[in-house]
Amino acid sequence: MSGDVVDIEQRVFEMLGERKHTPEIAAELGMSPKEALPIVLKVIDERGTPNLARARRAIDHLATIRVV
């Protein structure tokens, strides 16, 4: 059962990276948007989104640049 939850959360994370919104995510998962919303919010709260992760890496990279 916990493997299924991890798989669902991973898929939600991927769909967020595809810029899908909760209704689209819910449709793919076969649930109502009201049922999917807590899962989407949990994933965003715990992991952020793929685009946010890319932005954080870019900011970290910029912080390492030294201008003389």
Side-chain angles (χ1 to χ4, degrees):
M1 177 83 176
S2 66
D4 293 338
V5 171
V6 172
D7 292 342
I8 290 171
E9 290 178 1
Q10 177 60 34
R11 184 61 191 130
V12 168
F13 184 76
E14 292 166 0
M15 287 188 278
L16 288 169
E18 298 165 8
R19 297 182 162 217
K20 291 187 178 182
H21 298 281
T22 301
E24 296 169 293
I25 294 170
E28 185 167 322
L29 297 176
M31 54 179 66
S32 74
K34 189 174 182 177
E35 294 171 318
L37 184 60
I39 298 168
V40 171
L41 294 176
K42 178 180 184 238
V43 169
I44 292 171
D45 185 48
E46 291 178 358
R47 299 174 64 179
T49 66
N51 294 332
L52 182 57
R54 282 187 214 100
R56 285 184 182 142
R57 284 192 301 273
I59 290 168
D60 290 343
H61 175 71
L62 288 173
T64 64
I65 296 173
R66 305 252 185 238
V67 178
V68 185

Coordinates of all heavy atoms in Angstrom, one line a residue:
M1 N 0.8 -1.2 0.0 CA 0.0 0.0 0.0 C 0.9 1.3 0.0 O 0.6 2.2 -0.7 CB -0.9 0.0 1.2 CG -1.8 1.2 1.4 SD -3.2 1.0 0.3 CE -4.1 2.5 0.8
S2 N 1.9 1.3 0.8 CA 2.7 2.5 0.9 C 3.5 2.7 -0.5 O 3.7 3.8 -0.8 CB 3.7 2.5 2.0 OG 4.7 1.4 1.8
G3 N 3.8 1.6 -1.2 CA 4.4 1.8 -2.5 C 3.5 2.5 -3.5 O 3.9 3.2 -4.3
D4 N 2.2 2.2 -3.4 CA 1.2 2.8 -4.2 C 1.1 4.3 -3.9 O 1.0 5.1 -4.9 CB -0.2 2.2 -4.0 CG -0.3 0.7 -4.5 OD1 0.6 0.4 -5.3 OD2 -1.2 0.0 -4.0
V5 N 1.2 4.7 -2.7 CA 1.1 6.1 -2.3 C 2.3 6.8 -2.8 O 2.2 7.9 -3.4 CB 1.0 6.3 -0.7 CG1 1.2 7.7 -0.3 CG2 -0.3 5.7 -0.2
V6 N 3.5 6.2 -2.7 CA 4.7 6.8 -3.3 C 4.6 6.9 -4.8 O 5.0 8.0 -5.3 CB 6.0 6.0 -2.9 CG1 7.2 6.4 -3.6 CG2 6.2 6.0 -1.3
D7 N 4.1 5.9 -5.4 CA 3.9 6.0 -6.9 C 3.0 7.1 -7.3 O 3.3 7.8 -8.3 CB 3.4 4.7 -7.5 CG 4.4 3.5 -7.3 OD1 5.6 3.8 -7.2 OD2 4.0 2.4 -7.4
I8 N 1.9 7.3 -6.6 CA 0.9 8.3 -6.9 C 1.6 9.7 -6.6 O 1.4 10.6 -7.5 CB -0.4 8.2 -6.0 CG1 -1.1 6.9 -6.5 CG2 -1.2 9.4 -6.1 CD1 -2.3 6.6 -5.6
E9 N 2.3 9.8 -5.5 CA 2.9 11.1 -5.2 C 4.0 11.4 -6.3 O 4.1 12.6 -6.7 CB 3.5 11.1 -3.8 CG 2.4 11.1 -2.8 CD 3.0 11.1 -1.3 OE1 4.2 11.1 -1.2 OE2 2.1 11.1 -0.4
Q10 N 4.7 10.4 -6.7 CA 5.7 10.7 -7.8 C 5.0 11.1 -9.0 O 5.5 12.0 -9.7 CB 6.6 9.4 -8.0 CG 7.6 9.5 -9.1 CD 8.6 10.6 -8.9 OE1 9.0 10.9 -7.7 NE2 9.0 11.3 -10.0
R11 N 3.9 10.4 -9.4 CA 3.2 10.8 -10.6 C 2.7 12.2 -10.5 O 2.7 13.0 -11.5 CB 2.1 9.8 -10.9 CG 1.4 10.1 -12.2 CD 2.4 10.0 -13.4 NE 1.7 10.5 -14.6 CZ 2.2 11.4 -15.4 NH1 3.4 11.9 -15.2 NH2 1.6 11.9 -16.4
V12 N 2.1 12.6 -9.4 CA 1.6 14.0 -9.1 C 2.8 14.9 -9.3 O 2.6 16.0 -10.0 CB 1.0 14.1 -7.8 CG1 0.7 15.6 -7.4 CG2 -0.3 13.3 -7.7
F13 N 3.9 14.6 -8.8 CA 5.1 15.5 -8.9 C 5.5 15.7 -10.4 O 5.7 16.8 -10.9 CB 6.3 14.9 -8.1 CG 7.5 15.7 -8.1 CD1 7.6 16.9 -7.3 CD2 8.6 15.4 -8.9 CE1 8.8 17.6 -7.3 CE2 9.8 16.1 -8.9 CZ 9.9 17.3 -8.1
E14 N 5.4 14.6 -11.1 CA 5.7 14.6 -12.6 C 4.7 15.5 -13.3 O 5.1 16.3 -14.2 CB 5.8 13.2 -13.2 CG 7.0 12.4 -12.7 CD 6.8 10.9 -13.0 OE1 5.8 10.5 -13.6 OE2 7.8 10.2 -12.6
M15 N 3.4 15.3 -13.0 CA 2.4 16.1 -13.7 C 2.5 17.6 -13.3 O 2.2 18.4 -14.2 CB 1.0 15.5 -13.3 CG 0.7 14.2 -14.0 SD -1.0 13.7 -13.8 CE -0.9 12.9 -12.1
L16 N 2.9 17.9 -12.1 CA 3.1 19.3 -11.8 C 4.3 19.9 -12.6 O 4.2 21.0 -13.1 CB 3.5 19.4 -10.3 CG 2.3 19.2 -9.3 CD1 2.9 19.1 -7.9 CD2 1.3 20.3 -9.4
G17 N 5.3 19.1 -12.9 CA 6.3 19.5 -13.8 C 5.9 19.7 -15.3 O 6.4 20.4 -16.0
E18 N 4.8 19.0 -15.6 CA 4.2 19.2 -16.9 C 3.2 20.3 -16.9 O 2.4 20.5 -17.9 CB 3.4 17.9 -17.3 CG 4.4 16.7 -17.4 CD 3.6 15.3 -17.5 OE1 2.4 15.3 -17.6 OE2 4.3 14.3 -17.4
R19 N 3.1 21.0 -15.8 CA 2.2 22.2 -15.6 C 0.8 21.8 -15.7 O -0.1 22.6 -16.1 CB 2.6 23.3 -16.6 CG 4.0 23.8 -16.4 CD 4.3 24.9 -17.4 NE 5.4 25.7 -16.8 CZ 5.6 27.0 -16.9 NH1 4.7 27.7 -17.5 NH2 6.6 27.5 -16.4
K20 N 0.4 20.7 -15.2 CA -1.0 20.3 -15.2 C -1.6 20.8 -13.9 O -0.9 20.9 -12.8 CB -1.1 18.7 -15.2 CG -0.7 18.2 -16.6 CD -1.0 16.7 -16.7 CE -0.7 16.2 -18.1 NZ -1.0 14.8 -18.3
H21 N -2.8 21.1 -13.9 CA -3.6 21.6 -12.8 C -4.3 20.5 -12.1 O -4.5 19.4 -12.7 CB -4.5 22.7 -13.2 CG -3.8 23.9 -13.8 ND1 -3.2 24.9 -13.1 CD2 -3.6 24.3 -15.1 CE1 -2.6 25.8 -13.8 NE2 -2.8 25.4 -15.1
T22 N -4.8 20.8 -10.9 CA -5.5 19.8 -10.1 C -6.6 19.0 -10.9 O -6.6 17.8 -10.8 CB -6.0 20.4 -8.8 OG1 -4.9 20.9 -8.1 CG2 -6.7 19.3 -7.9
P23 N -7.5 19.7 -11.6 CA -8.5 18.9 -12.3 C -7.9 17.9 -13.3 O -8.4 16.8 -13.4 CB -9.3 20.0 -13.0 CG -9.1 21.2 -12.2 CD -7.7 21.1 -11.7
E24 N -6.8 18.3 -14.0 CA -6.2 17.3 -14.9 C -5.5 16.2 -14.2 O -5.6 15.0 -14.6 CB -5.1 18.1 -15.8 CG -5.7 19.2 -16.7 CD -4.6 20.0 -17.2 OE1 -4.0 20.8 -16.5 OE2 -4.5 20.0 -18.5
I25 N -4.9 16.5 -13.1 CA -4.2 15.5 -12.3 C -5.3 14.5 -11.7 O -5.1 13.3 -11.8 CB -3.4 16.1 -11.1 CG1 -2.2 16.9 -11.7 CG2 -2.9 15.1 -10.1 CD1 -1.5 17.8 -10.7
A26 N -6.4 15.1 -11.2 CA -7.4 14.2 -10.7 C -8.0 13.3 -11.8 O -8.2 12.1 -11.5 CB -8.5 15.1 -10.1
A27 N -8.2 13.8 -13.0 CA -8.8 13.0 -14.0 C -7.8 11.8 -14.4 O -8.3 10.7 -14.5 CB -9.0 13.9 -15.3
E28 N -6.5 12.1 -14.4 CA -5.6 11.0 -14.7 C -5.5 10.0 -13.6 O -5.3 8.8 -13.8 CB -4.2 11.6 -15.0 CG -3.2 10.5 -15.4 CD -1.9 11.0 -16.0 OE1 -1.9 12.1 -16.7 OE2 -0.9 10.4 -15.7
L29 N -5.7 10.5 -12.4 CA -5.7 9.5 -11.2 C -7.0 8.8 -11.0 O -7.1 7.9 -10.2 CB -5.3 10.3 -9.9 CG -3.9 10.9 -9.9 CD1 -3.6 11.7 -8.6 CD2 -2.8 9.8 -10.1
G30 N -8.0 9.3 -11.7 CA -9.3 8.6 -11.6 C -10.1 9.0 -10.3 O -10.8 8.2 -9.7
M31 N -9.9 10.3 -9.9 CA -10.6 10.8 -8.7 C -11.1 12.2 -9.0 O -10.8 12.8 -10.0 CB -9.7 10.7 -7.5 CG -8.3 11.4 -7.6 SD -7.3 11.4 -6.2 CE -6.8 9.7 -6.0
S32 N -11.9 12.6 -8.0 CA -12.4 14.0 -8.2 C -11.4 15.0 -7.8 O -10.4 14.7 -7.0 CB -13.7 14.2 -7.3 OG -13.3 14.3 -5.9
P33 N -11.5 16.2 -8.3 CA -10.5 17.2 -7.9 C -10.5 17.5 -6.4 O -9.4 17.7 -5.8 CB -11.0 18.5 -8.6 CG -11.7 18.0 -9.8 CD -12.4 16.7 -9.4
K34 N -11.6 17.3 -5.7 CA -11.7 17.5 -4.3 C -10.9 16.4 -3.6 O -10.3 16.6 -2.5 CB -13.2 17.4 -3.8 CG -13.4 17.8 -2.4 CD -14.9 17.8 -2.1 CE -15.1 18.3 -0.7 NZ -16.5 18.4 -0.3
E35 N -10.9 15.2 -4.1 CA -10.1 14.1 -3.5 C -8.6 14.2 -3.8 O -7.8 13.9 -3.0 CB -10.6 12.7 -4.1 CG -12.0 12.3 -3.7 CD -12.4 11.1 -4.4 OE1 -12.2 11.0 -5.7 OE2 -13.1 10.2 -3.8
A36 N -8.3 14.8 -5.0 CA -6.9 14.9 -5.4 C -6.2 16.1 -4.8 O -5.0 16.1 -4.6 CB -6.8 15.0 -7.0
L37 N -6.9 17.1 -4.4 CA -6.3 18.3 -3.9 C -5.4 18.1 -2.7 O -4.3 18.6 -2.7 CB -7.4 19.4 -3.6 CG -6.8 20.8 -3.1 CD1 -6.0 21.4 -4.2 CD2 -8.0 21.7 -2.8
P38 N -5.8 17.3 -1.7 CA -4.9 17.1 -0.6 C -3.6 16.4 -1.0 O -2.5 16.7 -0.4 CB -5.7 16.2 0.4 CG -7.1 16.4 0.0 CD -7.1 16.7 -1.5
I39 N -3.7 15.5 -1.9 CA -2.4 14.9 -2.4 C -1.5 15.9 -3.1 O -0.3 15.9 -2.9 CB -2.8 13.7 -3.4 CG1 -3.6 12.6 -2.6 CG2 -1.5 13.1 -4.0 CD1 -4.2 11.6 -3.5
V40 N -2.1 16.7 -4.0 CA -1.4 17.7 -4.7 C -0.7 18.7 -3.7 O 0.5 19.0 -3.8 CB -2.3 18.5 -5.7 CG1 -1.5 19.7 -6.3 CG2 -2.8 17.5 -6.8
L41 N -1.5 19.1 -2.7 CA -0.9 20.1 -1.8 C 0.2 19.4 -0.9 O 1.2 20.1 -0.6 CB -2.0 20.6 -0.9 CG -3.1 21.5 -1.6 CD1 -4.2 21.9 -0.6 CD2 -2.4 22.7 -2.2
K42 N 0.0 18.1 -0.6 CA 1.0 17.4 0.2 C 2.3 17.3 -0.6 O 3.4 17.6 -0.1 CB 0.5 16.0 0.5 CG 1.5 15.2 1.3 CD 1.0 13.8 1.6 CE 2.0 13.1 2.5 NZ 2.4 11.8 2.0
V43 N 2.2 17.0 -1.9 CA 3.4 16.9 -2.7 C 4.1 18.2 -2.8 O 5.3 18.3 -2.7 CB 3.1 16.3 -4.1 CG1 4.2 16.5 -5.1 CG2 2.6 14.9 -4.0
I44 N 3.4 19.3 -3.1 CA 3.9 20.6 -3.2 C 4.6 21.0 -1.9 O 5.7 21.6 -1.9 CB 2.9 21.7 -3.6 CG1 2.4 21.4 -5.1 CG2 3.4 23.1 -3.5 CD1 1.2 22.2 -5.5
D45 N 3.9 20.7 -0.8 CA 4.5 21.1 0.5 C 5.8 20.4 0.9 O 6.7 20.9 1.3 CB 3.4 20.8 1.6 CG 3.9 21.3 3.0 OD1 4.3 22.5 3.1 OD2 3.8 20.6 4.0
E46 N 5.8 19.1 0.6 CA 6.9 18.2 0.9 C 8.1 18.3 -0.1 O 9.2 18.3 0.2 CB 6.5 16.8 1.1 CG 5.7 16.5 2.3 CD 5.2 15.1 2.4 OE1 5.6 14.2 1.5 OE2 4.5 14.8 3.4
R47 N 7.7 18.4 -1.4 CA 8.7 18.3 -2.4 C 8.9 19.6 -3.3 O 9.8 19.7 -4.1 CB 8.5 17.1 -3.3 CG 8.5 15.8 -2.6 CD 8.0 14.6 -3.4 NE 8.9 14.4 -4.5 CZ 8.8 13.4 -5.4 NH1 7.8 12.6 -5.3 NH2 9.7 13.3 -6.3
G48 N 7.9 20.4 -3.3 CA 7.8 21.5 -4.2 C 7.4 21.0 -5.5 O 6.6 20.1 -5.6
T49 N 7.8 21.6 -6.6 CA 7.5 21.2 -8.0 C 8.8 21.1 -8.7 O 9.8 21.6 -8.3 CB 6.6 22.2 -8.7 OG1 7.3 23.4 -8.9 CG2 5.3 22.5 -7.9
P50 N 8.8 20.3 -9.8 CA 10.1 20.2 -10.6 C 10.6 21.6 -11.0 O 11.8 21.8 -11.0 CB 9.7 19.3 -11.8 CG 8.5 18.5 -11.3 CD 7.8 19.4 -10.3
N51 N 9.7 22.5 -11.4 CA 10.2 23.8 -11.9 C 10.8 24.6 -10.7 O 11.7 25.3 -10.9 CB 9.0 24.6 -12.5 CG 8.5 23.9 -13.8 OD1 9.3 23.2 -14.4 ND2 7.3 24.1 -14.1
L52 N 10.2 24.5 -9.5 CA 10.7 25.1 -8.3 C 12.1 24.6 -8.0 O 13.0 25.3 -7.7 CB 9.8 25.0 -7.2 CG 10.2 25.7 -5.9 CD1 10.4 27.2 -6.1 CD2 9.2 25.5 -4.8
A53 N 12.3 23.2 -8.1 CA 13.6 22.6 -7.9 C 14.6 23.1 -8.9 O 15.8 23.4 -8.5 CB 13.4 21.1 -8.0
R54 N 14.2 23.3 -10.1 CA 15.2 23.8 -11.1 C 15.5 25.3 -10.8 O 16.7 25.7 -10.9 CB 14.5 23.7 -12.5 CG 14.6 22.4 -13.1 CD 14.1 22.4 -14.6 NE 13.4 21.2 -14.9 CZ 12.1 21.0 -14.9 NH1 11.3 22.0 -14.7 NH2 11.6 19.8 -15.1
A55 N 14.6 26.0 -10.4 CA 14.8 27.4 -10.0 C 15.8 27.5 -8.8 O 16.7 28.3 -8.9 CB 13.5 28.2 -9.7
R56 N 15.6 26.7 -7.8 CA 16.5 26.7 -6.7 C 17.9 26.3 -7.1 O 18.9 26.9 -6.6 CB 16.0 25.7 -5.6 CG 14.8 26.2 -4.9 CD 14.4 25.2 -3.8 NE 13.2 25.7 -3.1 CZ 12.2 25.0 -2.7 NH1 12.3 23.7 -2.8 NH2 11.2 25.5 -2.0
R57 N 18.1 25.3 -8.0 CA 19.4 24.9 -8.5 C 20.0 26.1 -9.2 O 21.2 26.4 -9.1 CB 19.3 23.7 -9.3 CG 19.2 22.4 -8.5 CD 19.4 21.2 -9.4 NE 18.5 21.1 -10.6 CZ 17.3 20.5 -10.6 NH1 16.8 19.9 -9.4 NH2 16.6 20.4 -11.7
A58 N 19.3 26.8 -10.0 CA 19.8 27.9 -10.8 C 20.2 29.0 -9.9 O 21.3 29.6 -10.0 CB 18.8 28.4 -11.8
I59 N 19.5 29.3 -8.8 CA 19.8 30.3 -7.9 C 21.1 29.9 -7.1 O 22.0 30.8 -6.9 CB 18.7 30.6 -6.9 CG1 17.5 31.3 -7.6 CG2 19.1 31.4 -5.7 CD1 16.2 31.3 -6.9
D60 N 21.2 28.7 -6.7 CA 22.4 28.2 -6.1 C 23.6 28.4 -7.0 O 24.7 28.7 -6.5 CB 22.2 26.8 -5.6 CG 21.3 26.6 -4.5 OD1 21.0 27.6 -3.8 OD2 20.8 25.5 -4.2
H61 N 23.4 28.1 -8.2 CA 24.5 28.2 -9.2 C 24.9 29.6 -9.3 O 26.1 30.0 -9.4 CB 24.1 27.6 -10.6 CG 25.1 27.8 -11.6 ND1 26.3 27.1 -11.6 CD2 25.2 28.7 -12.7 CE1 27.1 27.5 -12.7 NE2 26.4 28.5 -13.3
L62 N 24.0 30.5 -9.4 CA 24.3 32.0 -9.5 C 25.0 32.5 -8.3 O 25.9 33.4 -8.4 CB 23.0 32.8 -9.8 CG 22.4 32.7 -11.1 CD1 21.0 33.4 -11.1 CD2 23.3 33.2 -12.2
A63 N 24.7 31.9 -7.2 CA 25.4 32.3 -5.9 C 26.9 32.0 -5.9 O 27.6 32.6 -5.2 CB 24.7 31.7 -4.7
T64 N 27.2 31.0 -6.7 CA 28.6 30.6 -6.8 C 29.5 31.4 -7.7 O 30.7 31.3 -7.7 CB 28.8 29.1 -7.2 OG1 28.3 28.9 -8.5 CG2 28.0 28.2 -6.2
I65 N 28.9 32.2 -8.5 CA 29.6 33.0 -9.5 C 30.2 34.2 -8.8 O 29.6 34.9 -8.0 CB 28.6 33.5 -10.6 CG1 28.1 32.3 -11.4 CG2 29.4 34.5 -11.6 CD1 27.0 32.7 -12.4
R66 N 31.5 34.4 -9.0 CA 32.2 35.5 -8.5 C 32.6 36.5 -9.6 O 33.1 36.1 -10.6 CB 33.5 35.0 -7.8 CG 33.3 33.9 -6.8 CD 33.6 34.4 -5.5 NE 33.5 33.3 -4.5 CZ 32.6 33.3 -3.5 NH1 31.8 34.3 -3.3 NH2 32.6 32.3 -2.7
V67 N 32.3 37.7 -9.3 CA 32.6 38.8 -10.2 C 33.8 39.6 -9.6 O 33.8 40.0 -8.5 CB 31.4 39.7 -10.5 CG1 31.8 40.9 -11.4 CG2 30.3 38.9 -11.0
V68 N 34.8 39.7 -10.4 CA 36.0 40.4 -9.9 C 36.1 41.8 -10.5 O 35.7 42.2 -11.5 CB 37.3 39.7 -10.4 CG1 38.5 40.3 -9.7 CG2 37.2 38.2 -10.0

